[in-house]
Amino acid sequence: MHHAYELTRKDGAPGIDKVTAKAYERDLRANLENLLERMKSGTYRAPAVRRVYIPKDDGSQRPLGIPTFEDKVAQRAVVMLLEPIYEQDFRICSYGFRPRRSAHQALERLRDDIMDRSGQWILDVDISNYFGTIDHEQLRAVLDKRVKDGVVRRLIDKWLKAGVFEDGTVTIPGEGTPQGGVISPLLANIFLHHVLDEWFQDIVVPRLRGRSSIVRFADDAVGVFERQEDCVRVREVVEKRLAKYGLKLHLTKTRIVDFRSARECNKHPGEHTDSSFDFLGFTHVWRRSRRGAWVVTRRTVKKRYARAIKRVYDYCRRRRHDPIPEQHKRLSSVLLGHYAYYGITGNSDRIRDFAHQVNRVWHKWLRRRTGLRTLTWAKFNRLLERFPMPPPRIVHRYYAGP
């Protein structure tokens, strides 16, 4: 329990009980002992989560649940108990929310599958509102295969039934995993492991004519196929498979992509109208390597890139009167964070352009400060000598790409 407390974020917003991590820590040992006793005896009651909304790229809002700090600790303890059990079962194709696995490993695996297995056709799978539509009865049936302990199962049931507090009222969800809950990603992985991963590798692959594979990160999945007919067949049956467990495909986002290399495309003029796809924030395309070979490269998705620039623009506009060292520190951390994720082989152009755009935006809004309206580019460059920005760099090098 103490280890679960240590792994729980302390800077998150408080839940409906308004208890912060600092307040909980004042009598930590007694609080943890009391929590453990209530969990084991069955008297623990899962509190409702406080619902807030965050904006999405398309202008709509995404609901987000904020559990209490104590509830986060309890869920973390159960995750620590279940994770080693299910890590024995999870397939190599699954990368999301698992220890010692990352999005960049998923990207590398996807590229290798395409290059090494003659991946010509891509099935981009998008499940509509996955976390909010998981059927509780179906999830319990999947858990029955591995988890028999009554204490753990009662706790999971309580979290599934925990209410959502919004506008002074509490509603009880009939489906979906706990909003914002620490245990939610693990439950979602367990469910899709059975619904998609096992099914695809054990039942689907042996029935296909060509080579195939799948890479999944949480609810985002990409199938790679050598033959077009295999890709079409799987597209037809995957919708039925998901429907069997109460899930639906996002019909406009789930699509088949003709991903034959550009050289192969030239042999079939007029057939290829959309030969790229997005996965984990990167657009995957074919490009020539330095040695002239066709290779799969990744570029920052245009929407992600535009959103990152907009955040920098909004920050510089709001905080243009802050001390320059503070602005420099903030913008430097933004650049380093951007390089850490998007600094991947083949994406050097977008990385360099992002660094240039950050400097351009900062210069624009510094000129709107009193006393700096005559800040020319020459003066701004001298300012950058005093406050140098982190230079663009590729963090994840997978191959000698373009």
Side-chain angles (χ1 to χ4, degrees):
M1 294 299 296
H2 193 274
H3 192 193
Y5 163 79
E6 291 178 336
L7 293 177
T8 303
R9 285 185 57 182
K10 311 299 189 298
D11 57 350
I16 61 173
D17 61 356
K18 304 295 179 65
V19 176
T20 63
K22 188 174 182 179
Y24 195 82
E25 188 180 12
R26 290 175 189 149
D27 197 4
L28 180 61
R29 184 174 184 84
N31 286 334
L32 293 179
E33 289 177 350
N34 178 265
L35 174 60
L36 177 59
E37 178 59 32
R38 284 182 285 135
M39 292 171 67
K40 292 167 64 177
S41 66
T43 59
Y44 179 78
R45 297 184 62 184
V49 298
R50 181 166 61 89
R51 174 174 283 177
V52 297
Y53 292 90
I54 57 177
K56 296 175 64 175
D57 293 340
D58 57 6
S60 62
Q61 291 187 318
R62 183 193 304 275
L64 179 68
I66 302 178
T68 65
F69 180 78
E70 184 178 66
D71 201 44
K72 294 177 184 177
V73 175
Q75 292 188 32
R76 175 61 64 187
V78 174
V79 168
M80 292 170 59
L81 179 68
L82 295 181
E83 221 170 39
I85 297 173
Y86 279 100
E87 278 298 314
Q88 302 175 63
D89 299 341
F90 287 158
R91 302 301 175 92
I92 194 173
C93 63
S94 170
Y95 288 87
F97 304 109
R98 293 181 58 188
R100 297 176 297 280
R101 290 194 160 223
S102 68
H104 289 97
Q105 290 175 334
L107 290 165
E108 185 175 10
R109 171 65 184 274
L110 177 60
R111 179 193 173 274
D112 291 344
D113 284 352
I114 296 173
M115 298 289 293
D116 299 339
R117 300 189 181 188
S118 300
Q120 305 291 319
W121 298 86
I122 301 296
L123 177 59
D124 189 358
V125 178
D126 190 285
I127 303 176
S128 180
N129 188 24
Y130 171 63
F131 288 89
T133 57
I134 295 178
D135 183 86
H136 290 176
E137 291 303 319
Q138 297 275 15
L139 176 59
R140 292 187 184 99
V142 173
L143 291 171
D144 284 340
K145 300 176 182 296
R146 273 305 233 150
V147 183
K148 305 294 186 181
D149 185 273
V151 172
V152 174
R153 292 300 300 272
R154 282 196 300 269
L155 286 169
I156 293 176
D157 281 345
K158 290 178 180 180
W159 286 319
L160 290 176
K161 298 175 183 177
V164 177
F165 181 80
E166 182 180 14
D167 296 331
T169 60
V170 176
T171 57
I172 307 299
E175 57 186 9
T177 54
Q179 286 193 4
V182 177
I183 200 171
S184 182
L186 177 61
L187 294 179
N189 256 347
I190 292 171
F191 197 55
L192 266 190
H193 162 72
H194 173 74
V195 174
L196 189 61
D197 301 348
E198 280 187 335
W199 168 76
F200 182 84
Q201 294 190 340
D202 297 345
I203 298 177
V204 174
V205 171
R207 290 170 168 78
L208 300 180
R209 298 182 61 186
R211 289 176 291 181
S212 62
S213 64
I214 191 172
V215 176
R216 182 175 66 83
F217 191 94
D219 60 332
D220 293 328
V222 173
V224 179
F225 301 88
E226 182 180 10
R227 302 173 71 97
Q228 180 183 10
E229 58 267 33
D230 289 341
C231 187
V232 173
R233 286 178 60 195
V234 173
R235 168 62 182 84
E236 293 173 351
V237 298
V238 72
E239 185 173 1
K240 299 177 182 178
R241 174 68 178 181
L242 295 177
K244 179 180 177 181
Y245 291 89
L247 302 174
K248 294 182 180 180
L249 284 179
H250 197 299
L251 298 181
T252 58
K253 294 182 179 180
T254 298
R255 62 196 185 101
I256 293 176
V257 179
D258 185 346
F259 202 62
R260 286 173 284 185
S261 68
R263 179 177 54 191
E264 187 71 18
C265 291
N266 291 334
K267 297 179 182 179
H268 305 275
E271 294 184 10
H272 306 275
T273 57
D274 187 1
S275 58
S276 66
F277 67 96
D278 297 341
F279 184 59
L280 298 180
F282 291 92
T283 299
H284 293 64
V285 297
W286 285 101
R287 290 179 62 187
R288 290 278 192 183
S289 70
R290 292 174 178 173
R291 298 180 179 180
W294 288 106
V295 295
V296 177
T297 61
R298 281 67 55 94
R299 293 172 59 84
T300 309
V301 172
K302 290 182 179 180
K303 289 184 178 179
R304 295 281 190 98
Y305 179 82
R307 185 172 62 189
I309 294 295
K310 185 178 185 303
R311 282 199 296 262
V312 172
Y313 188 93
D314 291 342
Y315 169 80
C316 291
R317 177 179 56 82
R318 293 193 316 268
R319 310 304 292 269
R320 61 186 181 274
H321 296 295
D322 288 358
I324 289 180
E326 291 185 11
Q327 295 187 50
H328 171 261
K329 182 179 180 180
R330 172 62 178 173
L331 293 176
S332 295
S333 67
V334 169
L335 284 170
L336 290 174
H338 193 86
Y339 301 157
Y341 188 79
Y342 293 104
I344 188 172
T345 302
N347 199 31
S348 56
D349 290 347
R350 283 282 170 89
I351 293 296
R352 287 194 296 267
D353 190 61
F354 182 76
H356 170 72
Q357 293 298 328
V358 170
N359 284 339
R360 186 187 65 81
V361 170
W362 195 26
H363 172 255
K364 173 180 177 177
W365 286 105
L366 282 180
R367 291 189 65 187
R368 282 152 176 77
R369 286 171 57 135
T370 303
L372 290 179
R373 299 187 184 279
T374 59
L375 183 67
T376 62
W377 272 105
K379 293 179 180 179
F380 180 70
N381 288 331
R382 288 196 293 271
L383 177 68
L384 291 179
E385 293 177 0
R386 294 176 52 199
F387 300 99
M389 290 292 200
R393 68 190 188 97
I394 299 299
V395 179
H396 308 278
R397 297 185 180 275
Y398 296 148
Y399 66 101

